[in-house]
Amino acid sequence: MHRHDVVVVGAGLAGQRAALAAVEAGKDVAIVSKLHPLRSHSGAAQGGINAAVGAEDSVDTHIYDTVKGSDYLGDQDAIEFFCRSAGPTVVEMEHFGTIFSRGSDGQLASRPFGGQGFPRTIYAADRTGLALLQALYERLGTESFTLYEEWDLTRIVVGEGRVQGIIAFDRRHGDFAGIAAKSVVIATGPAGRVYGRTTNAHSCTGDGIAAAYRAGALLKDMEFVQFHPTALLESGILITEGARGEGGILKNVNGERFMSKYAPHVLDLASRDVVSRAIWTEVKEGRGFPGGYVHLELMHLGRERIESRLQEICDFCRNFAGVDPVTQPIPIMPGQHYMMGGVGTNIRGETNIPGLFAAGEAACVSIHGANRLGGNSLLETLVFGKEAGIHAAAHAEKASTTEIPNGLVEEETALIRGMSERKDGEEPQHLRAEMQATMDELVGIYRHPNDLTEALRRIRALQTRYQSVRVVDRSSIYNINLTDALETGHMLDLAEVIVIGAIARTESRGAHARVDFPRRDDVNWMKHTMARRTATGPELSYAPVAFTRWEPKERVY
Ligand SMILES: Cc1cc2nc3c(=O)[nH]c(=O)nc-3n(C[C@H](O)[C@H](O)[C@H](O)COP(=O)(O)OP(=O)(O)OC[C@H]3O[C@@H](n4cnc5c(N)ncnc54)[C@H](O)[C@@H]3O)c2cc1C
């Protein structure tokens, strides 16, 4: 049996920042991560991190842009706190050693990003996430904490009305173990692999969100799924919004810069939901290229600028699409990119379960509301990762020692081992592929009521089939078949919550676009969806949105 004051699950930016804050508060901290920390999806972030530090920019403009971008579903008290923390957070990361790109004046360089009135996205070429992750990892490495690397969270243990710890599975040895903790921070990142066409890494399977849901935590606003406008046509690899920030433009088969119709003021730099819908509409109305896609053109920017500011994008285009962005247009279509929803928390990272905290993409505070602005997510991991770490440490300070109840680890082991003992049953990879196809086909950029009902029927049928999921590989070392089965079970739970929330929300707001309810309905739907797990599926309730200074207006770009 292992025991710590604070256990942080996830070693991306949110998890590492939470761990650093808890260590600095003097607690005995452990990080549990299914990947090596530097392999976390945070390292794939390209375009940058927002902070209103430019002389002509202001924190208030950042707040306003975020509120508007959220389509007025973001909590304004949280957004104000978030934007105020941006400058100090970026400076701190710079002091930790992040090598940001700089302008000719030696100041931090910044580029325009979608939906923002000012170029406030600070970057390290097109490898911002990796630069931040590396610097934070080096900083955290100077502190003492325990790292359970390549361990998978399988269950959050809740008893006597509080968190008692977690159960995790050691991939390298195939053993299960209980880790008792007074506070647990869920920082397990994205769930994008619920979809097939996604920019998210294969590891982004929403494990921590599902574990929290199974433990009784409320999930918030799960129906809001962001589609990034520019994912490479075949692979779905992200082409950062920074490419348009640097001046890239979108064109249809007629050579028209079509964004002038959809966002006459800011064109290609409208917010992501707006641009994704525009691309989708162009293709559906027959103005896409044969096979269904549009072009992103960078050629007019010149080789020097493209190759220095968008180095990784050049590699992706050349290696995965066979085009050279210096001389050729890039074929793109939108792809799933980000979950605005997650484990519901307040500004302190607290959930509805005492001792359970969440931060980063796995959490929903909510600052992104119905649509996230690019560059706000890296910032969120650091701002709210730190808050969650501080408050998890404070909770551990007051809380009494916890135990993992006797027999629970054995029960979990038997449950999961049972998947390997079946003589026949469902292969997890087939269930996963069918789930992804269902979500791609029926729960996309535009949502039709009949499609959503059909999606729910299919997801529930997959959940029933999952009851007899079978792991064929009996090996105990790096059993990918087993982790595939566990992850697929998590994602099926989340897919159901996404679809149920989308069926219930009879309006269009941000990334949730219902063809039968095309307008935003502030009278009935200015509220957060909260989903609680019951034996018969998710039970929805609603929570108010926090307002401070910004009255809802029609959102035009
Ligand atoms: C391609 C791409 C580009 C992006 N670019 C930008 C950008 O330019 N700017 C921006 O603001 N945002 C960007 N985003 C979004 C942003 O990068 C993410 O939202 C953010 O980095 C998530 O950080 P995180 O710490 O919450 O999760 P992650 O960095 O994904 O870390 C999750 C951690 O949880 C661990 N974990 C997961 N499941 C388990 C489990 N069962 N047991 C144990 N450990 C587990 C993993 O090992 C990992 O360490 C981008 C996202 C993608 C996919």
Side-chain angles (χ1 to χ4, degrees):
M1 176 70 78
H2 308 266
R3 179 185 303 284
H4 301 276
D5 293 329
V6 177
V7 167
V8 178
V9 189
L13 284 172
Q16 288 194 40
R17 192 62 192 82
L20 179 60
V23 171
E24 284 180 331
K27 293 293 144 213
D28 167 15
V29 176
I31 299 184
V32 176
S33 178
K34 70 178 182 182
L35 304 174
H36 181 280
L38 294 179
R39 306 285 298 178
S40 302
H41 190 65
S42 291
Q46 302 169 355
I49 175 166
N50 295 336
V53 291
E56 284 144 44
D57 200 0
S58 75
V59 171
D60 263 6
T61 325
H62 188 190
I63 298 170
Y64 172 70
D65 288 343
T66 304
V67 169
K68 177 180 171 187
S70 81
D71 219 348
Y72 299 91
L73 192 70
D75 286 325
Q76 295 184 8
D77 51 352
I79 294 174
E80 294 207 22
F81 173 81
F82 169 72
C83 296
R84 287 212 179 85
S85 310
T89 300
V90 167
V91 170
E92 179 180 71
M93 288 308 296
E94 206 272 327
H95 291 176
F96 286 176
T98 310
I99 308 186
F100 288 114
S101 297
R102 287 179 182 274
S104 50
D105 57 359
Q107 301 294 318
L108 294 179
S110 55
R111 53 169 55 124
F113 245 50
Q116 305 195 49
F118 202 84
R120 71 166 68 91
T121 306
I122 292 164
Y123 58 94
D126 53 359
R127 296 193 185 87
T128 314
L130 195 59
L132 291 168
L133 196 62
Q134 182 76 43
L136 185 55
Y137 186 59
E138 287 173 18
R139 171 66 188 84
L140 185 61
T142 65
E143 303 287 349
S144 100
F145 64 98
T146 307
L147 176 62
Y148 296 93
E149 188 178 312
E150 299 190 319
W151 283 44
D152 282 42
L153 162 78
T154 65
R155 192 197 286 209
I156 298 168
V157 181
V158 175
E160 296 163 7
R162 61 185 275 207
V163 152
Q164 296 170 315
I166 66 165
I167 298 177
F169 167 73
D170 173 359
R171 288 187 177 189
R172 268 183 282 191
H173 303 98
D175 301 326
F176 286 81
I179 309 180
K182 296 175 187 170
S183 302
V184 170
V185 182
I186 295 300
T188 48
R193 285 280 155 182
V194 169
Y195 286 79
R197 188 177 157 72
T198 173
T199 64
N200 286 192
H202 287 278
S203 57
C204 299
T205 52
D207 305 346
I209 310 175
Y213 176 56
R214 290 173 184 181
L218 294 170
L219 303 190
K220 193 196 274 179
D221 292 338
M222 288 295 287
E223 65 269 31
F224 294 100
V225 178
Q226 178 163 83
F227 292 84
H228 195 291
T230 59
L232 267 189
L233 186 59
E234 276 167 21
S235 57
I237 292 175
L238 179 72
I239 303 298
T240 173
E241 193 164 289
R244 278 171 289 135
E246 293 294 338
I249 54 182
L250 295 163
K251 286 198 178 159
N252 65 19
V253 72
N254 303 324
E256 291 157 346
R257 189 176 185 182
F258 56 85
M259 281 311 299
S260 59
K261 277 186 295 193
Y262 303 91
H265 304 293
V266 297
L267 303 164
D268 306 86
L269 283 175
S271 68
R272 290 176 176 174
D273 54 338
V274 174
V275 183
S276 290
R277 282 194 290 271
I279 295 172
W280 191 257
T281 305
E282 289 297 300
V283 170
K284 287 293 159 221
E285 292 181 355
R287 292 183 297 278
F289 289 87
Y293 61 93
V294 298
H295 277 163
L296 171 63
E297 290 191 359
L298 305 182
M299 296 96 78
H300 57 286
L301 301 177
R303 180 180 297 276
E304 209 287 312
R305 181 146 177 204
I306 299 173
E307 289 188 343
S308 64
R309 302 279 183 87
L310 301 166
Q311 303 154 3
E312 201 163 57
I313 295 307
C314 289
D315 289 346
F316 289 152
C317 291
R318 289 168 188 155
N319 295 334
F320 295 99
V323 300
D324 184 347
V326 175
T327 55
Q328 294 167 293
I330 310 168
I332 59 95
M333 269 305 272
Q336 191 286 342
H337 183 58
Y338 187 86
M339 297 293 179
M340 268 70 76
V343 183
T345 74
N346 58 18
I347 296 179
R348 295 182 291 280
E350 293 160 340
T351 68
N352 59 308
I353 300 175
L356 184 67
F357 298 76
E361 191 166 337
C364 178
V365 179
S366 148
I367 49 158
H368 308 305
N371 170 68
R372 169 179 78 95
L373 294 185
N376 267 355
S377 177
L378 287 177
L379 181 61
E380 174 186 31
T381 62
L382 297 167
V383 170
F384 292 109
K386 179 177 172 185
E387 289 307 304
I390 289 173
H391 294 285
H395 177 86
E397 181 70 32
K398 313 188 295 275
S400 55
T401 308
T402 56
E403 301 290 343
I404 303 289
N406 274 339
L408 205 63
V409 175
E410 293 71 18
E411 183 191 305
E412 182 79 347
T413 310
L415 199 72
I416 293 173
R417 291 257 182 270
M419 296 178 183
S420 311
E421 277 146 24
R422 295 199 175 104
K423 293 278 174 290
D424 54 16
E426 296 280 351
E427 310 263 341
Q429 66 274 24
H430 295 153
L431 301 177
R432 183 186 288 227
E434 286 183 44
M435 169 192 67
Q436 292 175 334
T438 301
M439 297 301 282
D440 282 348
E441 189 193 333
L442 303 175
V443 198
I445 293 177
Y446 279 106
R447 295 168 170 186
H448 298 255
N450 296 343
D451 286 357
L452 294 175
T453 315
E454 172 60 13
L456 183 61
R457 192 193 64 75
R458 288 195 208 169
I459 296 294
R460 288 200 161 148
L462 291 168
Q463 286 176 325
T464 306
R465 286 165 59 193
Y466 185 81
Q467 303 291 320
S468 63
V469 72
R470 177 177 176 229
V471 173
V472 199
D473 183 350
R474 299 287 187 88
S475 58
S476 52
I477 300 168
Y478 288 115
N479 189 334
I480 302 297
N481 193 196
L482 177 59
T483 44
D484 186 16
L486 295 174
E487 291 171 348
T488 301
H490 299 151
M491 290 191 289
L492 282 170
D493 276 8
L494 301 185
E496 186 188 21
V497 181
I498 293 170
V499 178
I500 294 247
I503 290 174
R505 189 174 280 274
T506 48
E507 67 157 353
S508 289
R509 183 186 297 270
H512 173 66
R514 284 276 298 253
V515 291
D516 49 342
F517 293 94
R519 301 199 65 77
R520 192 175 83 198
D521 174 359
D522 288 342
V523 176
N524 296 302
W525 285 105
M526 183 75 89
K527 54 190 181 186
H528 298 293
T529 306
M530 310 299 290
R532 190 176 71 88
R533 189 166 191 251
T534 72
T536 51
E539 179 188 274
L540 301 186
S541 58
Y542 293 91
V545 175
F547 284 91
T548 56
R549 292 184 276 158
W550 284 272
E551 286 299 322
K553 286 198 280 213
E554 198 190 345
R555 193 162 148 255
V556 281
Y557 286 100

